[in-house]
Amino acid sequence: ELASEPADTDEFLVSDAGTLKRIDYSLIKGGGITEADQWRLTTDFTTSGTTISSGWERDDTNGSTYIGTGMTESSGIFTFPSTGKYLILWTPSFLIAQNNTQIQSGIETTTDNSSYNSRANTFGGGNGTSLTSYGAGAAQILFDVTSTSTHKVRFVTGNLNSGSAIRGNTSYNFSEALFLRLGDT
């Protein structure tokens, strides 16, 4: 009787059409989530119609952690640490300047490391008056990453009039991206 989880090199016997064969536990055990990572904007991003290319950091607040190798980021382009099916959640917070009735942010992906396609968008609506307003959005996608060199993701902005922003803060998650590897490709 086993009282704890087997070691990866422990072997099991299986019958393959009547022929007994050995297999290591490492090849049959359940994997669970092997990659989970969260990133946030550290400062407000105010440029409209572009990739959110600066101000990113991995969540480093007390108790923060990630599972696996974690994502890498360069100029707003996120690279995956391993292939698999990923859930990507983007939750931006909006500062909507006076007379800016709507701002937008979204998720774009590429499968050829070149051409990006819009996958999900979220919008924040202002009140169209001389008052500043605030909002938040959420966008999410499932992305089948079959190659870590060609499959990438980025977050983009739209309709940011002067004075509007995607909010950021280095002390807590104001606008954040969550990456969860759910399973194999």
Side-chain angles (χ1 to χ4, degrees), residues 20-35:
L20 287 179
K21 296 183 177 180
R22 301 179 310 199
I23 187 168
D24 280 357
Y25 175 66
S26 65
L27 297 173
I28 60 173
K29 69 179 179 178
I33 291 179
T34 58
E35 294 287 346

Side-chain angles (χ1 to χ4, degrees), residues 2 6 10 20 67-68 73 81 107 115 117 129 132-133 136 141 165 171:
L2 293 174
D10 286 350
L20 287 179
I67 298 171
E73 179 271 335
I107 303 171
S115 302
N117 294 302
T129 68
T132 299
S133 55
I141 63 167
S171 298

